[in-house]
Amino acid sequence: VEPAPSRVKDSGKWQKPRFSRKALMKCCLVKWIIASTQPQDKDSSDSDLELSTVRHQPEGLDQLQAQTKFTRKELQSLYRGFKNECPSGLVDEETFKSIYSQFFPQGDATTYAHFLFNAFDMDRNGSIRFEDFVIGLSVLLRGSVTEKLNWAFNLYDINKDGYITKEEMLAIMKSIYDMMGRYTYPCVRDEAPSEHVDKFFQKMDRNRDGVVTIEEFIETCQKVTHTFLSHTPVSVNHN
């Protein structure tokens, strides 16, 4: 995301990006949704084929409707957008990294995009299908707090063994700092990711066994959120 001129100091260092609604609407996942709302070329045989494919898969749509919080019409629209951006119907990791990196030019988003890709690639086959995309999107956009925390736990659980180790949490945290860029303002110290992880891992690992379970993760995150909200003098819309 290109920072506004006011976001760059005279020294040439980047400020920490502040993502506006407009900027977020440009992200690769939302871009697929926006694309689906654009007028389709009625004379295009490819477009006609895609629309026909959607109309002739009612059982698939019914199943996805049961698995997500999208309506049938929304799923049809999402499918058109997805196919418009990904004609093959699949997104491989390199394509995902390329798309995601466009929005963080000041840093290196490669590693974080790798972790994020694995979180969406539910069946671990090296590609994101429409089903993977829409189920994950449903959780992120319309899921409950617990559902979103479960999704986040899956992101941090890199080897998918059901636990988060300090090494896994540190790997994710470092990838986030790398993505945000080393030229942020104020400057981020090299020790910051490790210190951040030490602080939160200590809070989460309640029984001190060296790993964080899904129960510990959710309980700690909900407690932190509740504490924050209880000290916030404004009403918060959880949706």
Side-chain angles (χ1 to χ4, degrees), residues 166-178:
K166 183 179 286 188
E167 291 73 22
E168 287 176 318
M169 188 176 289
L170 182 58
I172 296 290
M173 195 59 60
K174 282 184 175 179
S175 72
I176 293 174
Y177 275 83
D178 288 342

Side-chain angles (χ1 to χ4, degrees), residues 7-233:
R7 299 289 175 91
V8 182
K9 295 294 182 180
D10 294 337
S11 61
K13 296 180 180 178
W14 296 81
Q15 283 189 345
K16 183 176 180 179
R18 296 179 181 177
F19 297 107
S20 64
R21 178 181 176 84
K22 181 178 180 181
L24 287 173
M25 292 297 284
K26 294 180 181 178
C27 91
C28 56
L29 298 179
V30 179
K31 183 182 177 185
W32 283 325
I33 304 174
I34 300 303
S36 69
T37 65
Q38 302 303 314
Q40 302 294 317
D41 182 2
K42 300 301 182 180
D43 297 327
S44 169
S45 59
D46 290 339
S47 179
D48 290 342
L49 177 61
E50 290 168 18
L51 289 173
S52 176
T53 302
V54 174
R55 294 193 186 102
H56 288 85
Q57 290 185 337
E59 292 184 1
L61 285 178
D62 288 341
Q63 184 177 358
L64 281 176
Q65 191 174 348
Q67 291 177 298
T68 67
K69 297 183 179 180
F70 294 121
T71 65
R72 186 183 184 84
K73 186 175 181 180
E74 287 173 328
L75 287 169
Q76 289 176 325
S77 185
L78 282 167
Y79 184 76
R80 286 194 295 268
F82 185 90
K83 289 285 285 185
N84 184 56
E85 292 294 320
C86 313
S88 69
L90 298 171
V91 182
D92 61 31
E93 184 170 344
E94 291 307 311
T95 301
F96 187 85
K97 286 180 179 178
S98 177
I99 294 173
Y100 206 81
S101 295
Q102 295 176 25
F103 306 102
F104 298 91
Q106 78 279 12
D108 182 2
T110 303
T111 304
Y112 183 74
H114 166 72
F115 294 138
L116 192 61
F117 178 87
N118 287 339
F120 271 97
D121 182 15
M122 297 172 61
D123 53 10
R124 311 283 173 250
N125 67 350
S127 61
I128 298 176
R129 305 169 302 155
F130 175 68
E131 292 86 345
D132 300 328
F133 163 70
V134 79
I135 290 173
L137 190 66
S138 175
V139 172
L140 294 174
L141 294 181
R142 298 179 181 175
S144 65
V145 172
T146 301
E147 288 172 334
K148 290 177 180 178
L149 289 176
N150 270 287
W151 199 94
F153 181 89
N154 179 56
L155 172 66
Y156 278 89
D157 180 16
I158 296 175
N159 65 0
K160 312 307 177 190
D161 64 351
Y163 302 94
I164 298 176
T165 64
K166 183 179 286 188
E167 291 73 22
E168 287 176 318
M169 188 176 289
L170 182 58
I172 296 290
M173 195 59 60
K174 282 184 175 179
S175 72
I176 293 174
Y177 275 83
D178 288 342
M179 179 176 65
M180 301 308 294
R182 293 188 175 278
Y183 298 99
T184 56
Y185 185 88
C187 294
V188 176
R189 295 177 296 107
D190 291 338
E191 301 81 9
S194 181
E195 293 174 356
H196 194 97
V197 168
D198 286 341
K199 177 182 177 181
F200 281 94
F201 197 87
Q202 184 176 5
K203 289 183 178 181
M204 290 184 176
D205 184 15
R206 295 181 176 276
N207 61 359
R208 301 293 183 265
D209 62 351
V211 295
V212 173
T213 64
I214 182 65
E215 293 79 14
E216 289 174 323
F217 183 83
I218 291 177
E219 182 181 352
T220 304
C221 290
Q222 287 181 331
K223 183 177 181 180
V224 170
T225 302
H226 176 75
T227 300
F228 171 76
L229 293 177
S230 65
H231 289 83
T232 303

